[in-house]
Amino acid sequence: MNDIASKVLKGEPRSVARLITLAENNSPDAAIAMKDIHPNTGEAHVIGITGVMGGGKSTLISEITREYRKQGKKVGIIAIDPTSPFSGGALLGDRVRMMELAMDEGVFIRSMGTRGMLGGLTSAVYDVVEILDASGKDIVIVETVGVGQAEVDVIKIADSTLVVLVPGLGDSIQTIKAGVMEIADIYVINKADRPDVNQTVAEVKSLVDIDCSNKDRKKPVLTTNARNGEGIKELVNEIKKHKKYLDNSKEFDNKRMRRYEAELIEIIKKRLMNLIFDESKFKEKVESLIYKIFKKEVDPYTAADEILGKILK
Amino acid sequence: MERKIRVLIAKPGLDGHDRGAKIVARALRNAGMEVIYTGLHQTADMIIETAIQEDVDVIGLSLLSGAHMTLFIDVTKLLKKKNMQDVLFIGGGIIPKEDVSVLKKAGVDGVFGPGTHTEDIVVFIKNNVKL
Ligand SMILES: Nc1nc2c(ncn2[C@@H]2O[C@H](COP(=O)(O)OP(=O)(O)OP(=O)(O)O)[C@@H](O)[C@H]2O)c(=O)[nH]1
Ligand SMILES: [Mg+2]
């Protein structure tokens, strides 16, 4: 077996960390290691957390993790923040809210930038979920950038998706209308210590009532205070209930299949782009076609067909 | 392969001033690096544990006074113990001249005093990082 993969399977943190880096950098070594990783995955419960910016997602993850740890579960956390489109750099600050977990051997936290991906989930996230799963984590939690900052890709990777909202100002309602209704499995109204919480709960519940994305299961609306831990136990119970519900329905396999579909598309996209724009074999051809388009000797669609034809033959 | 420089920026110790650390964090982000910012009150063990999980190329610590000398030395010791000498270790803050040489001898790769331009730190990292 591949050396780094076998160390990951033993749960060695440094190998886990290094393989994640290789995956993020699109290294061919990562693709090789993933051959040995993939057969050893599928056990972890993948929880996606999205919602309004600054809604308390990271703080909530810290509390949820502590609850799972009390129950003896090992937890992997992937915290994603946006990559600056101008510099390509990123400021990854979610760990500030997870400091209490830093010395816990049963917890592995990795911060990621969105890098090139517009959707908000870097394509390497699929690999990172599998790596943490294979390393023995029972729970893998993915924090995505806030809704509105990017689209709601998290659904494709998570078994259970939490949408985090906060009381007041109708922001929450706007967020739900902005397209998270279908992806939410559980709504969390965090910062329940704030005024107007009851009104927000009522508003979200009324939207849940008219939601017909799933007839078998009514989506729960819970309140939490991530600062003092109120409501966390109940939330974790609800997450576990959702997992049970999935296990007993056909939906689980279906969700996983859709995850692999999304991943496969990402890999193919990435490979094709590399082939067309990076490999010297096609570079000249592409450049000359661009010139022909510019000279009106050929139209862009015909040019695209010509390039694809060369690759697929 | 698209390698990005990953940097851990932390502010050890008990005082609550992280303005300098945040300014440096932003400057490094603007220079195209991925900056993991962990905030205040970090211990040497936490810094090392985080550096391992995040697989960083650089650790940058900010300190406001010579009072944090021991923590710096602790980090260099842990880096050696864990065989992580390929990680570039830099520190910045109000550090007396005589302490700078002590830190460098102990294995701190770069020490930046007050009035350092963030651009100097960017250049130092780019020139010295082991990718
Ligand atoms: N009053 C109150 N404040 C909270 C609660 N949960 C989190 N906060 C505070 O809200 C702020 C943002 O919390 P984060 O956990 O960083 O929120 P986030 O959603 O991860 O933020 P981004 O990742 O930047 O989108 C912090 O100052 C938290 O201390 C809560 O239940 N009540
Ligand atoms: Mg966060």
Side-chain angles (χ1 to χ4, degrees):
Chain A
M1 187 188 288
N2 178 277
D3 183 48
I4 192 164
S6 72
K7 286 179 180 155
V8 167
L9 295 183
K10 286 190 199 113
E12 281 184 28
R14 287 172 78 165
S15 300
V16 171
R18 185 51 51 92
L19 184 52
I20 291 174
T21 302
L22 291 172
E24 275 202 292
N25 292 337
N26 291 321
S27 158
D29 293 338
I32 293 165
M34 291 313 289
K35 287 183 213 244
D36 290 325
I37 295 291
H38 181 71
N40 293 288
T41 62
E43 290 303 311
H45 181 193
V46 184
I47 302 167
I49 304 206
T50 188
V52 292
M53 252 163 63
K57 298 180 292 294
S58 303
T59 317
L60 207 56
I61 288 175
S62 184
E63 290 301 309
I64 291 171
T65 301
R66 272 153 42 114
E67 182 61 30
Y68 273 116
R69 291 295 294 141
K70 277 188 211 152
Q71 303 177 14
K73 303 283 187 213
K74 290 186 188 159
V75 182
I77 299 169
I78 306 167
I80 304 169
D81 276 315
T83 292
S84 155
F86 305 108
S87 68
L91 198 48
L92 312 173
D94 294 315
R95 265 184 182 267
V96 173
R97 313 276 168 223
M98 305 179 188
M99 251 173 67
E100 286 168 70
L101 308 173
M103 292 310 294
D104 183 341
E105 280 180 17
V107 178
F108 188 104
I109 306 172
R110 182 66 173 229
S111 314
M112 295 178 79
T114 50
R115 296 210 180 173
M117 291 270 303
L118 281 169
L121 264 191
T122 122
S123 59
V125 175
Y126 297 99
D127 293 330
V128 182
V129 167
E130 294 219 325
I131 292 164
L132 291 173
D133 181 341
S135 78
K137 298 290 178 272
D138 305 292
I139 309 288
V140 175
I141 306 177
V142 185
E143 173 179 349
T144 66
V145 296
V147 174
Q149 241 175 322
E151 59 157 303
V152 285
D153 258 357
V154 65
I155 179 79
K156 293 175 186 162
I157 209 158
D159 304 320
S160 305
T161 300
L162 275 53
V163 172
V164 178
L165 307 165
V166 294
L169 295 174
D171 278 1
S172 296
I173 307 310
Q174 287 311 319
T175 303
I176 297 179
K177 286 188 177 150
V180 300
M181 192 147 209
E182 296 78 18
I183 71 158
D185 294 306
I186 297 168
Y187 288 101
V188 182
I189 319 293
N190 188 42
K191 307 201 185 187
D193 48 315
R194 278 210 199 156
D196 297 339
V197 61
N198 293 333
Q199 194 195 330
T200 305
V201 170
E203 282 170 351
V204 175
K205 277 190 171 157
S206 73
L207 283 172
V208 169
D209 285 336
I210 56 167
D211 176 10
C212 35
S213 57
N214 186 346
K215 282 176 235 77
D216 303 336
R217 179 178 171 273
K218 194 167 162 161
K219 295 172 178 177
V221 182
L222 281 86
T223 58
T224 54
N225 177 344
R227 273 207 179 148
N228 70 5
E230 261 168 45
I232 298 298
K233 223 183 184 137
E234 293 78 2
L235 174 57
V236 170
N237 278 341
E238 206 59 59
I239 299 171
K240 287 160 84 175
K241 242 161 86 182
H242 181 249
K243 175 70 164 55
K244 274 215 186 86
Y245 159 79
L246 289 176
D247 286 341
N248 296 328
S249 76
K250 280 197 202 109
E251 217 187 311
F252 186 69
D253 289 353
N254 189 40
K255 272 203 178 202
R256 286 277 164 104
M257 294 274 282
R258 299 287 68 84
R259 188 219 284 183
Y260 295 132
E261 176 185 34
E263 177 175 10
L264 190 59
I265 290 171
E266 279 316 317
I267 294 171
I268 291 172
K269 253 201 253 174
K270 208 156 63 184
R271 295 240 156 134
L272 267 181
M273 295 299 270
N274 282 346
L275 202 60
I276 296 169
F277 295 104
D278 290 346
E279 297 228 335
S280 50
K281 197 158 63 152
F282 292 107
K283 216 171 187 162
E284 236 169 75
K285 180 78 203 160
V286 171
E287 203 51 45
S288 82
L289 276 169
I290 293 170
Y291 186 72
K292 279 189 187 165
I293 298 170
F294 169 68
K295 282 287 183 192
K296 312 283 184 295
E297 287 166 23
V298 68
D299 69 283
Y301 288 95
T302 308
D305 283 342
E306 198 170 314
I307 292 166
L308 285 174
K310 279 206 161 16
I311 289 167
L312 295 173
K313 81 161 187 268
Chain B
M1 250 177 73
E2 328 140 26
R3 195 80 165 84
K4 265 189 198 174
I5 300 175
R6 286 171 67 84
V7 188
L8 169 61
I9 296 285
K11 171 74 189 65
L14 291 177
D15 54 72
H17 302 281
D18 62 349
R19 239 192 64 151
K22 278 184 174 159
I23 289 170
V24 171
R26 252 177 250 127
L28 299 184
R29 190 254 332 255
N30 293 342
M33 301 178 199
E34 286 188 346
V35 182
I36 294 103
Y37 184 70
T38 57
L40 302 162
H41 311 322
Q42 303 283 304
T43 65
D45 286 314
M46 284 163 88
I47 290 162
I48 293 295
E49 212 42 59
T50 303
I52 290 174
Q53 293 182 2
E54 299 287 356
D55 197 18
V56 293
D57 311 293
V58 185
I59 297 176
L61 301 186
S62 118
L63 77 175
L64 282 180
S65 69
H68 299 135
M69 282 287 281
T70 47
L71 186 129
F72 266 67
I73 308 286
D74 287 349
V75 171
T76 60
K77 281 183 188 154
L78 281 170
L79 285 172
K80 278 188 198 114
K81 190 174 143 202
K82 301 246 173 185
N83 230 332
M84 293 167 69
Q85 281 112 314
D86 55 338
V87 176
L88 191 70
F89 180 25
I90 60 177
I94 305 161
I95 307 161
K97 261 211 176 85
E98 58 271 24
D99 288 347
V100 171
S101 58
V102 177
L103 289 172
K104 287 203 165 159
K105 233 187 223 150
V108 182
D109 299 299
V111 181
F112 299 93
T116 305
H117 282 283
T118 52
E119 188 53 36
D120 297 339
I121 304 176
V122 169
V123 169
F124 181 84
I125 291 175
K126 288 191 171 162
N127 285 340
N128 292 283
V129 72
K130 292 152 219 144
L131 288 185

